């Protein structure tokens, strides 16, 4: 037998007296509490009232506040809120917050409270639920302010501000946003880089508020400040909100290219975040493309192509196709058969501009072969009212896209035909183009330059004449000999048998 075997054999003969009795009792107690918790969870779907009773009985089974009591209260609160027992939910939530200080770890409690508040926020759909949610937020703020948990304090305040935004309580929201901005700054008033993510969330809330109240001046300033924040790694949904609001702002200013860029960036961020708002923003992108008069299909890009055949976006896809084909009848038919497109106030507000543009192009195309037509004829062809036809024709005349006169007495329009005027206008444009070319060549470019060798006339050295003002008509040569009637003589060039007459040199 080896030495190691001897050692193991001797060790087996030794007896050690360890006392496990207390630990066994504690473990048995924990098992009982754990079994009760999971049994209650199984009753949640079929018998929620009994499940609540079981969950609320868990804290009493623990000698000291611990994890199972905390978990039991969480489950009970969620069920009570779901069943509309808001007062009981608030009462038990107050009890739950007492576990945060000592019974559970800081990270676990913070995560649990955040999840609880998210659950409450998603489940709030009436006035009583909103009031209950506001009480949850207030109690959370009071609890975590005393524990100096600034991160959770900021998150809860942002949730509370979002609640007031949803309820359009702008007075409360303005005060809360001001408080949050101050919390995200250093003592000297500059933005704290470590809180850049929270700062962007506050900007997003404030931007939404000013977008709702149509305060474009304040909205534009905040939008530009938000885009300059570089110290944050924001959630894509936050950037989606900021970009969407920016796109709407640019739309109100009729800055279509900037709006298109913002809506595309907003769609991309929402898509990355998995937010359903991406579908609505994609509709805004299609709308902006039509307002720009662009021939580029917005669904040609890699990001938007997968949504081209999405049923939720099919109406807008068909609209942009009809717009690019200038098919007014199909365009009107799509709008008529898809009333849900106009349920969005933003689309309803801006689609009229697209419709008017389509009808204007249709009128120009329809009247091209005619010198005289009636408003009733155009109205019948486009299936719109005579009043609207008159407005469109009047706009075309004022905008000088159509030369004609409207006879309101008999509802007719006579097109003025003047070929001479067209020819004169074309000549004027041609003359202007030549004048512009002449100025470019003679003034801005090198133009005509005199030769470096001086030309000596009558014993006087002339290095050249101003190239842009020379007139050679007065230069006459009378008789003479030699090349060009000039002959050499001592002292310079001399005209033999005549004089060189230099007319006007201007």
């Amino acid at each position: 037998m080896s030495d190691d075997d001897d050692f193991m054999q001797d060790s087996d003969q030794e007896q050690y007296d360890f006392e496990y009795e207390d630990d066994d009792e504690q473990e048995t107690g924990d098992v009982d509490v754990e079994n009760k918790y999971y049994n209650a969870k199984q009753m949640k779907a079929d018998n929620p009232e009994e499940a609540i009773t079981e969950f609320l009985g868990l804290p009493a089974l623990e000698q000291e506040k611990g994890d199972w009591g905390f978990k039991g209260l969480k489950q009970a609160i969620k069920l009570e809120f779901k069943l509309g027992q808001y007062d009981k939910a608030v009462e038990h939530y107050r009890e739950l917050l007492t576990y945060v200080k000592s019974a559970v770890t800081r990270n676990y409690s913070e995560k649990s409270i955040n999840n609880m508040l998210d659950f409450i926020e998603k489940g709030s759909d009436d006035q009583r639920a909103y009031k209950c949610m506001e009480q949850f937020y207030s109690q959370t703020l009071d609890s975590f302010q005393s524990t100096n948990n600034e991160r959770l304090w900021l998150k809860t305040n942002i949730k509370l501000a979002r609640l007031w935004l949803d309820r359009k309580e702008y007075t409360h929201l303005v005060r809360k946003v001001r408080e949050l901005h101050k919390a995200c700054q250093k003592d000297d008033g500059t933005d704290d880089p470590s809180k850049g993510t929270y700062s962007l969330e506050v900007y997003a809330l404030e931007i939404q508020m000013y977008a709702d109240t149509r305060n474009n001046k304040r909205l534009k300033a905040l939008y530009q400040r938000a885009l300059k924040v570089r110290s944050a790694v924001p959630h894509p949904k936050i950037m989606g909100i900021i970009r969407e609001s920016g796109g709407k702002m640019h739309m109100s200013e009729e800055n279509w290219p900037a709006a298109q860029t913002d809506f595309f960036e907003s769609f991309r961020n929402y898509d990355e975040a998995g937010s359903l708002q991406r579908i609505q923003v994609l509709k805004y992108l299609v709308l902006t493309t039509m307002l720009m008069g662009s021939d580029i299909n917005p669904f040609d890009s890699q990001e938007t192509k997968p949504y081209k055949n999405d049923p939720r976006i099919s109406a807008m896809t068909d609209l942009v196709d009809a717009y690019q084909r200038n098919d007014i009848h199909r365009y009107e038919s799509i709008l008529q058969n898809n009333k849900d497109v106009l349920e969005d106030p933003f689309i309803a507000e801006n689609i009229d501009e697209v419709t008017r543009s389509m009808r204007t192009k249709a009128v120009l195309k329809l009247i091209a072969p005619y010198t005289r037509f009636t408003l009733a004829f155009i109205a019948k062809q486009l299936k719109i009212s005579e009043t609207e036809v008159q407005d469109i024709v009047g706009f075309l005349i004022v905008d000088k896209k159509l030369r004609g006169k409207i006879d309101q007495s008999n509802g007719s329009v006579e097109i003025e035909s003047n070929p001479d005027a067209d020819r004169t206008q074309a000549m004027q444009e041609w003359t202007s183009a030549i004048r512009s070319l002449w100025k470019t060549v003679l003034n801005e470019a090198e133009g005509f330059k005199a030769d470096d060798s001086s030309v000596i006339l009558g014993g006087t050295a002339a290095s050249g004449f101003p190239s842009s003002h020379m007139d050679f008509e007065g230069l006459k040569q009378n008789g003479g000999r030699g090349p060009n009637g000039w002959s050499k003589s001592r002292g310079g060039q001399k005209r033999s048998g005549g004089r060189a007459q230099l007319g006007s040199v201007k």
Side-chain angles (χ1 to χ4, degrees):
M1 183 179 293
S2 66
D3 294 337
D4 290 338
D5 292 336
D6 290 336
F7 173 77
M8 293 300 297
Q9 187 176 11
D10 293 337
S11 298
D12 290 339
Q13 293 174 357
E14 296 180 10
Q15 294 181 356
Y16 299 94
D17 296 330
F18 293 109
E19 296 182 357
Y20 293 102
E21 288 80 3
D22 294 338
D23 290 341
D24 287 341
E25 290 176 3
Q26 180 67 34
E27 185 176 350
T28 304
D30 288 343
V31 169
D32 291 339
V33 176
E34 183 177 357
N35 289 338
K36 188 177 182 68
Y37 174 79
Y38 286 110
N39 288 335
K41 285 192 73 172
Q42 291 178 353
M43 293 188 287
K44 282 173 60 176
D46 299 331
N47 195 347
E49 291 286 355
E50 188 174 346
I52 291 174
T53 304
E54 291 293 314
F55 283 129
L56 292 177
L58 290 174
L61 298 178
E62 293 184 314
Q63 295 179 357
E64 296 181 356
K65 291 181 178 179
D67 287 345
W68 293 113
F70 185 77
K71 292 179 179 180
L73 285 171
K74 280 198 308 180
Q75 295 293 337
I77 292 166
K78 289 180 180 180
L79 284 175
E80 287 171 340
F81 189 87
K82 193 174 180 180
L83 295 175
Q85 301 174 8
Y86 301 123
D87 293 337
K88 291 182 179 180
V90 170
E91 179 186 347
H92 293 132
Y93 184 70
R94 190 180 297 111
E95 182 181 353
L96 177 74
L97 291 175
T98 61
Y99 282 71
V100 172
K101 297 179 181 179
S102 59
V104 291
T105 62
R106 175 169 175 164
N107 288 337
Y108 177 60
S109 65
E110 183 178 331
K111 182 178 179 181
S112 299
I113 295 300
N114 262 323
N115 291 338
M116 174 71 71
L117 295 178
D118 287 340
F119 174 83
I120 299 298
E121 183 179 354
K122 292 176 182 177
S124 299
D125 53 4
D126 58 27
Q127 194 64 28
R128 290 182 61 228
Y130 280 126
K131 185 177 180 181
C132 174
M133 182 164 58
E134 194 170 344
Q135 289 179 309
F136 269 61
Y137 290 150
S138 298
Q139 291 184 19
T140 305
L141 291 173
D142 292 341
S143 173
F144 282 91
Q145 196 167 18
S146 61
T147 59
N148 294 323
N149 191 331
E150 188 178 23
R151 184 170 57 181
L152 187 58
W153 183 87
L154 281 168
K155 288 181 179 180
T156 306
N157 266 307
I158 290 172
K159 290 178 185 293
L160 181 57
R162 192 179 298 121
L163 169 64
W164 284 333
L165 176 66
D166 293 339
R167 297 172 64 176
K168 302 188 184 302
E169 296 184 12
Y170 299 126
T171 304
H172 295 304
L173 179 59
V174 169
R175 286 200 297 265
K176 183 58 66 177
V177 163
R178 192 180 296 119
E179 181 184 357
L180 285 167
H181 274 308
K182 189 175 180 180
C184 293
Q185 293 175 345
K186 296 181 180 178
D187 295 336
D188 59 359
T190 59
D191 289 339
D192 188 346
S194 65
K195 299 174 183 174
T197 303
Y198 299 117
S199 184
L200 268 180
E201 289 191 53
V202 178
Y203 277 129
L205 289 169
E206 200 170 4
I207 285 171
Q208 285 177 284
M209 177 182 69
Y210 288 121
D212 290 345
T213 56
R214 296 182 180 274
N215 187 343
N216 277 359
K217 183 178 180 180
R218 184 64 179 150
L219 169 60
K220 193 168 188 177
L222 282 171
Y223 170 76
Q224 292 171 350
R225 285 176 62 185
L227 292 184
K228 291 178 181 177
V229 176
R230 294 287 181 267
S231 60
V233 184
H235 192 281
K237 186 176 180 180
I238 299 301
M239 289 309 301
I241 291 171
I242 293 173
R243 287 289 194 169
E244 179 186 352
S245 300
K248 290 181 177 180
M249 175 191 69
H250 291 310
M251 286 281 278
S252 67
E253 298 172 347
E254 297 187 4
N255 187 353
W256 314 130
Q260 185 187 44
T261 301
D262 272 341
F263 284 137
F264 180 76
E265 289 298 322
S266 176
F267 165 79
R268 197 170 58 80
N269 280 286
Y270 279 135
D271 193 36
E272 183 181 346
S275 172
L276 294 177
Q277 185 64 14
R278 64 180 180 269
I279 298 297
Q280 206 62 29
V281 171
L282 186 54
K283 292 179 182 180
Y284 300 159
L285 177 62
V286 173
L287 175 64
T288 311
T289 302
M290 291 188 288
L291 286 169
M292 287 177 63
S294 174
D295 294 330
I296 300 175
N297 194 317
F299 293 99
D300 288 343
S301 69
Q302 183 178 356
E303 291 86 354
T304 58
K305 189 175 291 184
Y307 296 91
K308 185 174 183 179
N309 298 319
D310 193 307
R312 296 168 294 179
I313 204 76
S314 59
M316 296 300 290
T317 308
D318 295 340
L319 270 181
V320 74
D321 182 65
Y323 180 84
Q324 292 179 341
R325 294 174 182 272
N326 290 326
D327 190 343
I328 182 64
H329 296 299
R330 184 161 181 260
Y331 176 88
E332 297 277 6
S333 175
I334 293 167
L335 280 182
Q336 191 69 26
N337 297 330
N338 295 273
K339 297 290 187 182
D340 57 315
V341 172
L342 302 179
E343 289 179 358
D344 186 298
F346 182 74
I347 294 178
E349 181 181 346
N350 290 277
I351 197 70
D352 288 342
E353 186 71 24
V354 180
T355 304
R356 186 175 180 83
S357 173
M358 284 288 291
R359 289 172 178 173
T360 301
K361 290 191 289 185
V363 168
L364 285 172
K365 183 178 179 181
L366 190 59
I367 66 176
Y370 301 101
T371 58
R372 184 182 178 86
F373 59 88
T374 63
L375 299 175
F377 167 72
I378 303 298
K380 183 178 180 181
Q381 293 296 318
L382 299 184
K383 299 179 181 178
I384 58 179
S385 66
E386 290 187 31
T387 304
E388 190 165 359
V389 174
Q390 183 175 322
D391 289 342
I392 293 173
V393 173
F395 167 77
L396 290 171
I397 292 173
V398 171
D399 207 35
K400 296 183 179 180
K401 294 181 179 179
L402 180 68
R403 287 199 306 272
K405 294 180 180 179
I406 301 175
D407 187 349
Q408 291 183 328
S409 61
N410 57 13
S412 63
V413 179
E414 186 173 349
I415 305 298
E416 296 177 358
S417 179
N418 192 346
D420 291 337
D422 293 340
R423 192 178 298 109
T424 302
Q425 183 179 358
M427 288 294 292
Q428 288 175 345
E429 292 175 357
W430 181 65
T431 305
S432 298
I434 292 177
R435 184 179 295 111
S436 175
L437 177 63
W438 176 78
K439 287 181 179 179
T440 303
V441 172
L442 296 182
N443 292 346
E444 298 178 8
E446 293 183 359
F448 296 108
K449 284 188 175 179
D451 192 3
D452 291 340
S453 61
S454 300
V455 178
I456 304 175
L457 298 175
T460 303
S463 60
F465 302 99
S467 60
S468 59
H469 299 289
M470 292 192 66
D471 183 0
F472 293 98
E473 280 206 25
L475 186 61
K476 298 180 181 177
Q477 300 172 0
N478 298 325
R481 49 194 178 146
N484 299 326
W486 295 89
S487 64
K488 289 185 179 180
S489 65
R490 189 177 58 185
Q493 299 264 353
K494 180 180 178 182
R495 178 66 186 267
S496 174
R499 291 168 55 191
Q501 297 181 354
L502 191 61
S504 59
V505 180
K506 299 179 182 177

